[in-house]
Amino acid sequence: MRAVAAGAVTALVLLAGCTSSDDDPGTAPSTPPAEPAPTTPETSPPAPPPSTTQPPTTETPVRVDPDDVREATAMRAVRHLAGVVGPRPGTTPAYFEAADWVEKRLTELGWQVERQSFRVPGGFSHAGPTEGIPVDAGRSVNIIATRGDVVPGEPWLAVGAHLDTVPTSPGAEDNASGIGALLAVAEATAGRRTRLPVVLVAFGAEEPRGPSDDDHHYGSRAYVASLTVDQRQSLRGMVAMDRVGVGPVVPVGSVEEGDPLRAELLRAARRIGVPTVAESGQRSSDHWSFVRDGLPGVRLGSTPYAGYHSAQDLPSAVDPEQLERTARLVVAWLR
Ligand SMILES: [Zn+2]
């Protein structure tokens, strides 16, 4: 297909080369042309009024396309967050360094970014090899990005990923992978048209600081608590990307079996040929903060891996192709 197009271009260039000899006085054709050169007739009809031929002054942006997802954008985030910033519990200076970096990337991509600050209690890291390590109380932030198209009371969608880690893990898969996919989605949708306005959120302090259901997901709970009645009623779906760089298929997890939002995502994946596995009983990420408050939420990711919550959670654990599959699925859902 490419070769044919290139051949056509070459032919056009050659034709153009032939006609350009008319400009050269030294190479007049030896025989007169069979037909007179076409001239613009003076009686040509006037051009139709501009309103019917020109695009409207406010051009509709091009629709988002999963093919615009770049895995390099996602992997850059994984390498930076896990390889340069390192462990970043939600109330630490390293977390704020990571938040600054993500805010800068989103701003560069053309998104409008706001910070939402919230308080996080101290506690003890709860899951995996870092269990029992103390984590300090303090403030954390959510990084919230929009394209300026969210209208109060009108339907909207949210896509999020947590940016924090447990204390001793650099968190490549958990969850620089989700942030990387979020930035790839941000890039593919910047200045483009989605079926509804989208809000992107990098959540702070997702990781557990105790055993109960109130000891984790602090950033997403603060975000949900900040939504107005109008915003709650018009939210059509929230997708959390958490551990999305391991395995050959994308887990699509809902709290309940038969969740309509999960079905939407599974359909979007089928449309673009991304392999998925449907899961239920999934409460272990930021989508749960939405669902437990009566809002629609689903999680992508969760495939088990060796480095979970350990110092071995390094960029080499993350498969760029799985990041790409996840980000493509989200863009297909937003399309
Ligand atoms: Zn996580």
Side-chain angles (χ1 to χ4, degrees), residues 78-300:
V78 170
R79 287 192 204 95
H80 183 80
L81 294 171
V84 178
V85 178
R88 46 193 180 281
T91 54
T92 59
Y95 178 80
F96 283 87
E97 182 188 340
D100 288 347
W101 191 84
V102 170
E103 177 172 353
K104 192 151 182 267
R105 297 289 81 75
L106 288 165
T107 305
E108 282 171 357
L109 291 169
W111 289 73
Q112 300 163 25
V113 180
E114 280 175 38
R115 287 184 172 223
Q116 179 178 46
S117 176
F118 56 93
R119 212 191 152 277
V120 186
F124 293 89
S125 184
H126 190 66
T130 57
E131 179 141 3
I133 297 178
V135 280
D136 292 337
R139 298 199 76 82
S140 188
V141 288
N142 293 327
I143 302 294
I144 303 168
T146 69
R147 295 170 301 181
D149 55 353
V150 181
V151 179
E154 296 288 318
W156 60 291
L157 302 169
V159 179
H162 76 84
L163 178 57
D164 63 311
T165 67
V166 293
T168 58
S169 172
E173 169 66 351
D174 189 10
N175 185 35
S177 67
I179 294 292
L182 187 75
L183 291 175
V185 169
E187 181 176 51
T189 54
R192 297 290 175 98
R193 180 163 50 95
T194 47
R195 61 190 169 91
L196 293 175
V198 183
V199 178
L200 305 180
V201 190
F203 291 113
E206 185 267 358
E207 295 290 359
R209 295 172 165 237
S212 93
D213 202 21
D214 288 330
D215 299 329
H216 57 174
H217 309 168
Y218 298 96
S220 46
R221 282 192 287 140
Y223 180 77
V224 170
S226 74
L227 296 176
T228 64
V229 172
D230 269 0
Q231 287 170 325
R232 294 171 57 91
Q233 286 176 348
S234 54
L235 176 62
R236 292 291 177 267
M238 183 276 177
V239 172
M241 295 184 287
D242 192 350
R243 292 167 38 198
V244 293
V246 168
V249 299
V250 179
V252 183
S254 56
V255 175
E256 302 289 344
E257 193 57 57
D259 182 283
L261 178 59
R262 187 184 74 173
E264 250 180 45
L265 282 145
L266 293 172
R267 277 196 301 274
R270 269 198 299 278
R271 280 199 298 273
I272 57 165
V274 167
T276 54
V277 54
E279 298 178 339
S280 57
Q282 176 55 263
R283 292 180 174 80
S284 301
S285 192
D286 294 304
H287 69 295
W288 173 233
S289 301
F290 291 73
V291 176
R292 67 190 277 185
D293 223 24
L295 303 174
V298 155
R299 172 184 180 175
L300 302 182

